[in-house]
Amino acid sequence: MEQKNRLRIALAIILLISLAMFTSFGRVLFTRDVPHVSLAPAGSGASSSADASGGESALLRVEVTPRTVQEVVRTLARSNSYYRELTVETFWSGGSSETQVLVWVDQGWTHSQQTLPSGAVRHDLEGEGTRYAWYDGDEGFLTVPLPEEASGEADLSQRIPTYETVLSLDQTQITAAGYEEREGTPCVYIEYRGGALDGYRQRYWVSVDTGLLTAAEILSGDDLVYRMSAQILQTPCPSGAGFTLPDGTVLHQAP
């Protein structure tokens, strides 16, 4: 019975993450003049430098706390061209599953390739308002129009949460925040309870250099039920990387 309950929790987490992608918490719109946040040097305390005007004389020291972390997250702009490799895991009593994900992103186009626990390989390619989906060996593909504001759709295809949802939280739902290094990457760390997964502890580590989610965990009590980690990152996206359909149609190609 205990194992069945934990399995139900793990499946519920996957479903709720998927639903969160579709329930428009909103994506932050970043502009050229948004301040850039960088990790404070080791030993200097939990603070960072944000340059709002582009000049050395306009540095603002920002301490990352549950009270200030939403403003810090607002300054983070995601890289628009990269390749990376992820591992996504779910856990239940007596078992777990693991999905390997490869992701290519360039100028608004995203191609994710998932190797599922069954061994099947799924592709999701999206850009210009359309998502294409297929499995290795397929001759055809599924075409799905994306809503005008498709917040989190690309994240959903990678099986990861959209960290910008923290911006919609009530500040009292954020239980911890600060700067941490994760796998050697300087990150903003956020822990909270709320949103679509209310009742679960959710932890995000977001790179201050790329604005990408570096790691994520979801816990039920003290039990880990979901974990994402990024192992490899290359920016920009490798030259010549193609965003190609199984019939050979090239929709986009990295320069």
Side-chain angles (χ1 to χ4, degrees):
M1 182 65 67
E2 170 70 16
Q3 181 171 347
K4 289 183 178 178
N5 287 338
R6 291 295 304 282
L7 179 57
R8 289 193 188 101
I9 291 173
L11 293 175
I13 288 292
I14 296 172
L15 175 62
L16 287 170
I17 288 175
S18 299
L19 290 175
M21 302 305 119
F22 291 101
T23 54
S24 67
F25 281 109
R27 176 170 296 176
V28 181
L29 300 179
F30 299 101
T31 58
R32 291 179 182 271
D33 59 349
V34 168
H36 174 70
V37 175
S38 59
L39 186 67
S44 65
S47 61
S48 69
S49 297
D51 187 347
S53 67
E56 290 292 332
S57 61
L59 293 177
L60 174 65
R61 301 297 289 182
V62 180
E63 183 180 5
V64 178
T65 67
R67 183 177 62 84
T68 64
V69 69
Q70 287 168 308
E71 294 306 314
V72 173
V73 168
R74 283 190 176 92
T75 71
L76 301 177
R78 300 192 191 198
S79 296
N80 63 9
S81 182
Y82 61 87
Y83 164 78
R84 67 175 182 161
E85 300 180 8
L86 313 174
T87 299
V88 177
E89 302 166 277
T90 55
F91 302 89
W92 58 90
S93 180
S96 65
S97 68
E98 179 178 297
T99 299
Q100 299 296 326
V101 187
L102 310 182
V103 185
W104 295 262
V105 173
D106 188 65
Q107 308 302 323
W109 288 88
T110 300
H111 177 196
S112 65
Q113 174 185 304
Q114 304 175 46
T115 301
L116 304 174
S118 65
V121 178
R122 174 184 170 124
H123 297 260
D124 291 272
L125 195 164
E126 69 175 66
E128 297 184 350
T130 303
R131 168 180 288 174
Y132 309 87
W134 70 93
Y135 288 86
D136 271 5
D138 286 351
E139 295 182 358
F141 51 87
L142 178 67
T143 302
V144 180
L146 297 175
E148 289 187 10
E149 295 195 11
S151 177
E153 294 289 339
D155 289 346
L156 173 62
S157 71
Q158 300 168 45
R159 295 183 176 238
I160 66 175
T162 301
Y163 73 80
E164 287 95 343
T165 58
V166 302
L167 298 174
S168 67
L169 296 174
D170 186 293
Q171 192 178 98
T172 60
Q173 295 174 306
I174 301 174
T175 57
Y179 284 120
E180 290 187 6
E181 283 208 1
R182 184 81 173 192
E183 304 295 333
T185 300
C187 296
V188 173
Y189 168 71
I190 312 112
E191 179 175 325
Y192 69 93
R193 295 175 181 265
L197 297 176
D198 192 19
Y200 294 89
R201 293 168 59 199
Q202 301 167 67
R203 300 171 174 172
Y204 294 164
W205 288 262
V206 185
S207 168
V208 298
D209 294 326
T210 65
L212 298 174
L213 188 66
T214 296
E217 295 178 350
I218 300 174
L219 298 94
S220 175
D222 292 327
D223 296 324
L224 187 65
V225 294
Y226 169 92
R227 179 169 60 201
M228 183 280 284
S229 58
Q231 291 82 42
I232 294 176
L233 173 66
Q234 180 179 342
T235 55
C237 185
S239 178
F243 295 76
T244 306
L245 298 175
D247 65 2
T249 301
V250 178
L251 300 178
H252 175 75
Q253 188 164 321

